[in-house]
Amino acid sequence: MKITPVKASLKGQAYFFFNGSGKYTPDISYSYAFNDATTPTKITDVSDPSTITAPSGAKTLQLDQTGYIDPQWTGGDSNVKIDSNGKITGLDNPAEAGKTVTFKVTHGIDSTITHTFNVKIPAKSNPTPTPNNNGASSSNNSTAPANPTNNAWNPTTPPKADGSTGLPNYAAVKGAAVYATKRVYMYRNANFKKSQRIATYPKAKRVNRPMFVVLDYAKSNGGALRYKVRDVNHNSKTDGKIGYITANPKYVVNVYYKTMPKSHKITVINKKGIHTYKHVNLTGRVKTFKKGTHITVKRFVKHNLTTRYQLSNGTYITANKKLVIQGNY
């Protein structure tokens, strides 16, 4: 049987699924990831449309699908836009607060195969939350008040002439992902008290370590550096919580590697394996490496606030410590 692509761009591609009657049916699934998260969330309920609620502070959303040939992404508005790879930008535009924006993916060959995504953008939070008797916000942890005693310590100002920022060298930059290597707690403010705990994160194996995005910094009355963070553990009840955790590098470190392994070898530790991609933004999936695979990497590449490893064939893989480990294991 000779098969001729409908579109010239599909040359060399063949994706066919047939049911018992011999009719073509695509094997379809959908997922999404906010702010370039390397572990997407699978949409288990594929009824049309799907509703996705953006967490507070989300800037970008990557929609993904499998089973479509030459997928076409459409939707959005003047502020929130989607590109040809399904990446959405502008979620943090103040004009979009409280809105629901609709996007659609259409099969490039069979236009009857589509799926709609309704993305709910959170409303603006109260900029001046009313404190309770303990001096903490009464907004059920949706915001965390700044420590009023830290006015003389402000690492968020531009660097001084000598390049210093007031932050120690180990401090993660704003917007970066960090994870806890030991048991940590999230608190309502920078002065840690047991009565002010929001959440507990037990010590976990490397692949299951709790992950956070750094939003800001604060300092306790005793001078200890704290991170103001958002919980990004998407399958957890604490997902989306905002509060303060320790910045002590004995407990909290960057999620992404910042160096090349001396041996140029890494090992896949994620039980579902990892993918290689054509592009540094991890789009254009090429192949999958199973857990335990040893990979030789050629180059270390920075991408926004994350990092990648490039292979000798020019493809890219994640440098997320929850998914890979340097060396052969």
Side-chain angles (χ1 to χ4, degrees), residues 49 110-111 209:
D110 185 350
S111 61
R209 288 173 179 170

Side-chain angles (χ1 to χ4, degrees), residues 293-307:
T293 303
H294 297 150
I295 306 172
T296 300
V297 294
K298 176 183 178 181
R299 194 162 66 97
F300 180 75
V301 181
K302 292 182 179 180
H303 178 66
N304 298 328
L305 296 178
T306 63
T307 56

Side-chain angles (χ1 to χ4, degrees), residues 297-324:
V297 294
K298 176 183 178 181
R299 194 162 66 97
F300 180 75
V301 181
K302 292 182 179 180
H303 178 66
N304 298 328
L305 296 178
T306 63
T307 56
R308 320 289 193 212
Y309 287 121
Q310 188 177 36
L311 310 188
S312 58
N313 63 2
T315 60
Y316 298 88
I317 60 173
T318 180
N320 187 319
K321 297 176 186 176
K322 294 181 68 172
L323 306 179
V324 298

Side-chain angles (χ1 to χ4, degrees), residues 31-41 60-64 234:
S31 63
Y32 64 89
F34 287 102
N35 297 332
D36 295 320
T38 57
T39 304
T41 299
T60 65
L61 171 61
Q62 178 66 56
L63 297 177
D64 200 7
H234 300 307

Side-chain angles (χ1 to χ4, degrees), residues 107-137:
H107 195 289
I109 302 302
D110 185 350
S111 61
T112 65
I113 301 175
T114 65
H115 194 80
T116 300
F117 305 85
N118 291 326
V119 180
K120 292 184 177 181
I121 302 174
K124 293 180 180 178
S125 59
N126 185 355
T128 55
T130 303
N132 58 26
N133 292 334
N134 294 321
S137 169

Side-chain angles (χ1 to χ4, degrees), residues 256-317:
Y256 290 87
Y257 279 115
K258 292 187 174 183
T259 61
M260 277 285 288
K262 293 181 180 179
S263 64
H264 284 237
K265 301 287 186 180
I266 65 168
T267 303
V268 179
I269 59 175
N270 182 39
K271 66 180 181 179
K272 295 183 179 180
I274 64 169
H275 306 297
T276 63
Y277 298 88
K278 292 181 181 179
H279 310 293
V280 71
N281 65 348
L282 300 186
T283 58
R285 185 183 299 178
V286 178
K287 64 179 294 186
T288 300
F289 288 118
K290 294 181 179 180
K291 179 182 177 181
T293 303
H294 297 150
I295 306 172
T296 300
V297 294
K298 176 183 178 181
R299 194 162 66 97
F300 180 75
V301 181
K302 292 182 179 180
H303 178 66
N304 298 328
L305 296 178
T306 63
T307 56
R308 320 289 193 212
Y309 287 121
Q310 188 177 36
L311 310 188
S312 58
N313 63 2
T315 60
Y316 298 88
I317 60 173

